[in-house]
Amino acid sequence: MQWTLVVPVKPLARAKSRLSDTAHDGVRPGLALAFAQDTVAAALACPVVADVAVVTDDARAARELAALGAGVVPDEPGGGLNAALAHGAAVVRAARPDIPVAALNADLPALRPVELTRVLTAATQFPRAFLPDAAGIGTTLLAAAPGRELSPAFGADSRARHRASGAVELRLGAVDSVRQDVDTGGDLRTALALGVGPRTAAVAARLLIAGQ
């Protein structure tokens, strides 16, 4: 089964504000873009992923992620994360109604295609399924089978909200790279220890040099 992934990317100037203790205002937009680039590149390298649709109104992010091979869907609702994801899923399903769709966070810089394959393969067993984040509070991936609405409920306590919505929680080991999103400096250090993609590694190296 070949999946389409919907990846939301907020305007880079407003992204990753919780990383202010690690990266200053001039660095954070580039760091957020690097996260998204490494996430999208790894997703496109996953053998069960047919394509990736990035939902964004950020011109720089759209240009750079399209260069990697992602499709770009303008964030026409402008109503926040869940509205963007629902819109992206509707757009891709208007063209191909019989595809499975999954929402994937854009801040998974350590993402490994083999681990994403395990998660998506497990998700095919259920009408809707989700993977909790490393902190055990949020969600990094929400999947919907053909013919089923994605019904995203990301945000505060999304693990509990997705479970309450009827989505099945995927309980998988050895998929740390799919669970490790990056919101804080501690998250970034954990992702670096897992092994991040080349773009995040380059920006992080400049951060480390500047901090010496």
Side-chain angles (χ1 to χ4, degrees):
M1 187 176 289
Q2 293 288 300
W3 292 78
T4 289
L5 303 187
V6 180
V7 178
V9 178
K10 69 167 57 176
L12 297 175
R14 303 203 311 265
K16 296 302 163 191
S17 59
R18 290 172 61 192
L19 278 170
S20 58
D21 62 340
T22 302
H24 59 73
D25 291 351
V27 173
R28 283 201 307 277
L31 189 59
L33 177 59
F35 292 166
Q37 288 173 302
D38 286 333
T39 300
V40 168
L44 287 168
C46 178
V48 298
V49 172
D51 51 20
V52 172
V54 172
V55 183
T56 189
D57 274 340
D58 190 286
R60 181 185 176 195
R63 182 176 64 253
E64 297 292 342
L65 296 171
L68 294 175
V72 176
V73 177
D75 184 7
E76 293 175 357
L81 175 58
N82 291 312
L85 288 169
H87 173 64
V91 168
V92 299
R93 279 199 165 150
R96 287 179 296 159
D98 296 326
I99 58 169
V101 172
L104 181 71
N105 286 11
D107 57 352
L108 299 169
L111 184 64
R112 296 186 176 95
V114 66
E115 294 184 11
L116 180 57
T117 297
R118 290 191 65 227
V119 174
L120 292 172
T121 300
T124 62
Q125 302 173 56
F126 308 103
R128 290 174 63 244
F130 73 96
L131 186 73
D133 65 7
I137 298 171
T139 303
T140 57
L141 181 143
L142 173 68
R148 298 300 296 260
E149 293 294 326
L150 189 61
S151 302
F154 287 84
D157 300 320
S158 66
R159 180 185 188 180
R161 295 203 293 166
H162 282 133
R163 187 189 296 130
S165 77
V168 174
E169 181 173 329
L170 298 174
R171 301 177 182 273
L172 301 172
V175 292
D176 292 350
S177 76
V178 196
R179 299 183 65 199
Q180 188 57 60
D181 55 351
V182 177
D183 289 317
T184 67
D187 294 336
L188 179 56
R189 288 187 288 274
T190 300
L192 289 169
L194 285 174
V196 295
R199 299 162 188 86
T200 301
V203 178
R206 293 198 295 273
L207 283 175
L208 293 172
I209 290 171
Q212 288 179 352

